[in-house]
Amino acid sequence: MEFHVVDEVESTSDGARLEDLAPEPLLTRDYETRPALVYERLRERHGPVAPVDLLGVPAWLVLGYRESLQVLQDDAGWPKGLENWRARTEGRVPADWPLGPSLEVNHVLIQGGPGYPRLRGAWDTALRPFQDPRHPQAKRLKAAVTGYADELIGLLAQGGRTGNADLSAQFSRPLPLMAASHLLGFPGSQGDDALMDMWRVLDAGPDAEPALARLLVTLSELAAAKREKPGDDFPSHLLAAHPDLTVDELARELFMLLGMTSDHVGILISNTVVEVISGEGDGGVRQTLSAGMVRETMNRVVMRKPPLVNFVPRFAAADTPLGDYTIHAGDPVWVSSAAAHADPLFAGQMTPGSSSISSRAHLAWGAGPRQCPARELASTIAAAGVSRIVERFGHLELALPVDQLPWRSSPFMRGLRSLPVRYELSGTFVPRPVPAEAPADGVPEAQDPAVKRRSSLWRYLTGLIRSGD
Ligand code: HEM
C-alpha cells in the first residue's frame, strides 16, 4: 500500500451521538441496484463519513478514501472485536439482528483483543506454503485449480462445442470452492457436501440455517480429524502454527476460509471474465490478457468493483474526529472500499490513460495491519481460472448487455448473480469424457479425482448443462 495519511483531518463535528441521528437505511432497493448513487448521495449530505442504519442498527459508514486509510492503518485507534461495541454491551443490538450470526462467529476477520496477533501470525504461517510460488504446495494447488477448471469447462461443454452457459454457476462459483476443498484437505467427497452447504448459507435462502448447522458439524469433524492425523493441508498447518486452537476454534477459522474463498474469489473471476469479454472500461483488455497480464486486469477489476464492498466493523477506541463528525468511543465504523474507490480524491487519479491506472493503492484487499493475508492465494486461484477460460474458449460473448447483468449485494459483498454467455470451445480443446453416473453415497471413492467428485456438487453442476445453442 503506497498511500499514507499525513494530514490532520479537521472536524466540524457538533458532537451529535450516533443513536440520536436517526440515520437512513443503507440497504435499500437503490443500494441493491445502484450502490454508487447511494454512496454519492450520502457523501453529498454528510461528507466522507455518514451515519447509516444497517437493518435496524446505527453505524458509521466511511466513504472517504483518506478517512478509510486513517481507520485501517490505526488498529489501536479503531480496533475490531465486538466487545468494543458500546451499543452491544448496553443491550441495544437486537438479538435477532440479521447480521448478528455472521459477526458473532469470533474468527480472525472479526476479532480484536490479545488473542488476535498470535492467530493472525498463525494464518500467515499456514498460508505461506500455499501462496509462495516456490513451495511445492503452491505448485500443486495451482496445478489442481487448472485441472478443476478443465473439468468444469469439460462438463459445461457437454451441452455442445457451442452453446449457452452461466459461467457464474458453472465455473466461477464452483472453481474456488473446489480449490478450498483442496486447501482444507477434505477426505473424499465429504467436502463437496460442505461446499454445497456453504452455498446455501451464502445464498441465505430458506435452507440456510440447517445448512449452516451441518456445515459447522462437518468442519468440526474435519478439525478433529486433522488434530488426530495432520496432513499437508491448511488446517494442519494452522494447527502446527497455533497448537492451542481448540477443535471449535479451528472449525471457525475453516468456516472463514471457506466463506472468503467461495464468495470473493468467485466474484473476482466473474468480474474479470466480464472485463475480458466486454472490454468494459478502457478497452484493450484482450490484448493485455493475451500478453499474459491477467493479474493486471484483475487489479483494475478489483479497483472498479471490489468484491468486499464494506468491511466488518471496527470501533472507536476514544472519541475521535473523522470526516465532519466526532465518532464516540465504542461506535461501530464500517469502511466502504466501494465508496472510497469512488471518492474523487482516489477516482480522480485513476482515470483511463492516467499513468497511475495500475496503482495498487486501492483498498480491495484492505490496508494496514489487518489487510488480507491471502491476496496472493486468491489471485493465483482466480488467475488460473481466468487463464483457462481464455485458453479453452475460442469465442465467448455475453448473452446480455453488460449493464443488464444481474447483481446481488449483501451488506459485505457485491457480485454477479449469474453470468450468461454464448460460447464456442477453442478448436484445440477436447474435453475429457465425464462418466455419466454418479455413484450412490457411501460407495467407496475412486482414485481418479475427476470421478471422485461425482457427488452432490457434480450432480448439481450436471443439472445446469444447457444443451443446444
Ligand atoms: C478475491 C478474494 C478476496 C478479497 C477481495 C479479500 C479481501 C479482504 C479484505 C478487504 C480484507 C480486510 C478486511 C478488513 O480490513 O476488515 C480481508 C481480510 C482477510 N482475508 Fe481476504 N479476501 C479475499 C480472499 C481471501 C481468501 C481466499 C482467504 C483465505 C484463504 C482470505 C483470508 C482473509 C483473512 C484471514 C482476513 C483477516 C485478516 C485480519 O483481520 O488480520 N481472504 N480480505
Side-chain angles (χ1 to χ4, degrees):
M1 182 61 49
E2 291 105 14
F3 267 65
H4 287 276
V5 174
V6 285
D7 312 338
E8 279 297 305
V9 176
E10 270 193 36
S11 167
T12 56
S13 155
D14 58 1
R17 298 189 79 82
L18 176 59
E19 44 276 28
D20 299 332
L21 290 170
E24 290 167 41
L26 176 70
L27 306 172
T28 56
R29 172 126 186 82
D30 268 356
Y31 175 83
E32 177 79 27
T33 52
R34 289 174 300 174
L37 207 71
V38 172
Y39 298 137
E40 285 332 297
R41 260 193 243 135
L42 285 170
R43 204 190 309 275
E44 257 171 39
R45 192 163 308 159
H46 298 280
V49 179
V52 294
D53 173 290
L54 286 174
L55 302 172
V57 168
W60 296 104
L61 193 70
V62 186
L63 308 154
Y65 178 70
R66 202 164 69 148
E67 291 71 17
S68 294
L69 279 185
Q70 189 179 344
V71 170
L72 296 175
Q73 289 176 340
D74 179 8
D75 200 36
W78 304 94
K80 286 188 179 179
L82 299 192
E83 67 280 5
N84 297 311
W85 190 357
R86 202 180 63 251
R88 179 173 171 270
T89 312
E90 292 171 0
R92 285 186 283 114
V93 177
D96 59 352
W97 187 46
L99 303 186
S102 51
L103 294 180
E104 294 283 348
V105 184
N106 194 24
H107 52 56
V108 64
L109 179 67
I110 311 287
Q111 72 177 247
Y116 163 76
R118 184 164 177 222
L119 181 57
R120 167 67 195 240
W123 263 87
D124 288 333
T125 306
L127 283 171
R128 195 165 301 127
F130 298 99
Q131 59 180 353
D132 179 339
R134 292 165 303 182
H135 283 264
Q137 290 94 335
K139 289 182 184 144
R140 274 202 297 277
L141 175 68
K142 195 170 168 197
V145 173
T146 304
Y148 301 150
D150 271 350
E151 285 179 37
L152 290 170
I153 296 170
L155 187 64
L156 74 83
Q158 291 200 336
R161 289 195 69 84
T162 61
N164 294 302
D166 174 357
L167 275 191
S168 173
Q170 295 180 266
F171 189 83
S172 314
R173 276 194 116 191
L175 182 70
L177 274 186
M178 291 156 90
S181 181
H182 174 102
L183 275 170
L184 292 177
F186 267 117
S189 69
Q190 179 201 14
D192 276 10
D193 295 328
L195 306 188
M196 294 295 292
D197 277 337
M198 190 74 225
W199 263 336
R200 293 181 185 108
V201 172
L202 292 170
D203 288 342
D207 46 0
E209 218 174 297
L212 177 62
R214 275 196 307 270
L215 182 58
L216 291 176
V217 170
T218 306
L219 291 175
S220 293
E221 287 168 2
L222 181 69
K226 297 300 172 187
R227 181 177 281 289
E228 191 69 23
K229 192 165 176 273
D232 191 3
D233 43 50
F234 177 81
S236 307
H237 284 270
L238 192 65
L239 264 180
H242 196 326
D244 298 342
L245 283 180
T246 64
V247 162
D248 239 30
E249 287 165 342
L250 178 58
R252 267 184 256 153
E253 300 306 315
L254 303 184
F255 176 66
M256 146 82 194
L257 179 141
L258 204 50
M260 275 301 225
T261 311
S262 50
D263 232 14
H264 299 96
V265 180
I267 291 172
L268 178 55
I269 295 176
S270 280
N271 289 351
T272 308
V273 169
V274 171
E275 176 98 1
V276 171
I277 299 178
S278 64
E280 203 197 344
D282 60 352
V285 168
R286 282 163 197 269
Q287 197 188 342
T288 319
L289 264 184
S290 61
M293 293 176 70
V294 177
R295 295 289 186 113
E296 199 48 50
T297 307
M298 280 186 345
N299 195 48
R300 279 205 300 271
V301 166
V302 294
M303 200 158 65
R304 275 203 280 273
K305 300 187 177 93
L308 204 64
V309 287
N310 299 316
F311 300 173
V312 298
R314 284 144 167 98
F315 305 90
D319 293 2
T320 314
L322 191 69
D324 296 344
Y325 289 94
T326 290
I327 313 301
H328 291 282
D331 277 359
V333 165
W334 295 55
V335 169
S336 170
S337 59
H341 287 183
D343 180 344
L345 177 68
F346 178 77
Q349 300 184 38
M350 299 298 149
T351 47
S354 134
S355 57
S356 52
I357 183 75
S358 63
S359 165
R360 285 178 165 76
H362 62 70
L363 305 178
W365 305 97
R370 303 210 54 157
Q371 66 182 292
C372 184
R375 176 179 180 158
E376 185 53 37
L377 178 83
S379 303
T380 300
I381 297 170
V386 174
S387 298
R388 233 26 184 180
I389 294 258
V390 172
E391 286 158 17
R392 296 311 195 199
F393 290 107
H395 182 73
L396 203 56
E397 63 182 32
L398 294 177
L400 279 178
V402 69
D403 57 358
Q404 285 176 28
L405 290 172
W407 289 82
R408 69 193 166 95
S409 292
S410 82
F412 306 106
M413 50 64 62
R414 180 168 165 82
L416 286 173
R417 195 181 291 282
S418 65
L419 176 46
V421 295
R422 280 186 286 276
Y423 70 84
E424 184 182 335
L425 288 183
S426 87
T428 51
F429 180 49
V430 182
R432 277 177 49 192
V434 179
E437 282 302 310
D441 286 351
V443 170
E445 293 294 341
Q447 289 311 303
D448 178 352
V451 177
K452 208 167 76 177
R453 253 194 311 277
R454 297 303 88 79
S455 60
S456 47
L457 176 65
W458 219 247
R459 285 195 292 273
Y460 168 78
L461 292 170
T462 309
L464 295 179
I465 296 171
R466 315 234 192 118
S467 54
D469 50 2

